[in-house]
Amino acid sequence: MKCLIVSGGTPPAKNELKRSCETADITISVDGAADLFYEYDIVPGVLIGDFDTAKPECVKSLEQRGAKVIKLMPEKNVTDTEAAIDYAIDSKADEILLLGAIGTRADHSLSNIMLMIKAYKAGIKCKIKDEYNEMIVSDKDFVFAGKAGQTISILPLTGELCVSATNVKYPLDNLMLRFGSSRGISNIMQKDECELSISGGFALIVKSQDKA
């Protein structure tokens, strides 16, 4: 089951959100993202959050049009986005796409990146996507799809990683990537697929459109 979670960071374009909703089995709007759904005239399946940033009239309108509202307490031990991921886990999702996960709040942006590990450990493929980047996490061998010429970066999230990669401009052969180093930034995909091997912990893999 595919789950779309839209958080309150930099909003996706209307066409992007509409396409993502059409391919999702369940759509979750996190707090202030309710305003975006209201603006785009799209009704999500679930609204979740303490709604400290969402406009009450937007929440009310979407609820009246069929959205399920889950109101959280303002004082809690998880972010609204983590609560949405927990909802997706409980709903037996096997894929999560996170939009609006990166924004002006660096703390929330970093937290949302780390939350991909929680989804991964629950057996869920999780991806963060914005206008310029796609991000996933992994701790094992897998095939990474993209397009030849795209920038790919591999960053350690936990400990020291041993990384190998094929079909990239700068081949990696059991390279040790240490947490706190930029060593894995800005490789280039030479083909539409590259094989990655990661051991020793979790890596953040970022595929970028912007070459800057």
Side-chain angles (χ1 to χ4, degrees), residues 151-154 170 182-188 211-212:
T151 299
I152 179 176
S153 297
I154 305 169
Y170 309 107
S182 62
R183 178 66 176 83
I185 291 286
S186 293
N187 214 324
I188 307 295
K211 295 182 180 180

Side-chain angles (χ1 to χ4, degrees), residues 49-52 71-78 80:
D50 54 24
F51 303 115
D52 60 341
K71 182 72 163 60
L72 305 176
M73 296 295 295
E75 295 181 357
K76 54 191 183 299
N77 293 322
V78 299
D80 293 337

Side-chain angles (χ1 to χ4, degrees), residues 13-202:
K14 183 175 182 178
N15 288 341
E16 172 71 17
L17 181 57
K18 185 176 181 181
R19 284 194 301 268
S20 298
C21 288
E22 289 172 348
T23 58
D25 298 298
I26 182 170
T27 299
I28 304 174
S29 169
V30 179
D31 204 311
D35 298 356
L36 183 70
F37 278 92
Y38 178 83
E39 178 186 348
Y40 289 170
D41 195 27
I42 300 172
V43 181
V46 178
L47 298 169
I48 189 168
D50 54 24
F51 303 115
D52 60 341
T53 56
K55 295 177 181 176
E57 60 269 25
C58 295
V59 174
K60 182 177 180 180
S61 175
L62 293 171
E63 182 178 24
Q64 290 175 339
R65 295 169 65 187
K68 176 183 178 180
V69 175
I70 300 175
K71 182 72 163 60
L72 305 176
M73 296 295 295
E75 295 181 357
K76 54 191 183 299
N77 293 322
V78 299
T79 63
D80 293 337
T81 299
E82 183 168 2
I85 288 177
D86 288 340
Y87 186 93
I89 293 172
D90 292 341
S91 299
K92 309 301 181 184
D94 51 29
E95 290 185 38
I96 294 175
L97 172 61
L98 268 166
L99 301 179
I102 307 298
T104 56
R105 283 285 300 269
D107 51 351
H108 279 280
S109 297
L110 290 169
S111 174
N112 291 339
I113 289 170
M114 300 301 291
L115 284 172
M116 288 194 289
I117 295 178
K118 181 173 189 174
Y120 185 96
K121 288 181 175 179
I124 300 174
K125 296 178 182 178
C126 187
K127 176 170 65 177
I128 288 177
K129 185 177 180 181
D130 65 12
E131 183 179 0
Y132 301 106
N133 306 283
E134 290 186 15
M135 292 173 262
I136 62 171
V137 297
S138 184
D139 65 346
K140 61 183 180 182
D141 299 357
F142 72 105
V143 176
F144 188 75
K147 292 183 180 179
Q150 283 187 313
T151 299
I152 179 176
S153 297
I154 305 169
L155 295 170
L157 290 178
T158 55
E160 297 184 348
L161 306 183
C162 183
V163 179
S164 296
T166 62
N167 298 330
V168 290
K169 183 175 181 179
Y170 309 107
L172 306 178
D173 186 11
N174 293 320
L175 177 69
M176 183 64 70
L177 293 180
R178 292 177 171 83
F179 185 80
S181 169
S182 62
R183 178 66 176 83
I185 291 286
S186 293
N187 214 324
I188 307 295
M189 297 183 69
Q190 300 293 82
K191 296 184 179 181
D192 291 347
E193 289 185 345
C194 62
E195 295 179 359
L196 297 179
S197 176
I198 299 166
S199 60
F202 280 94

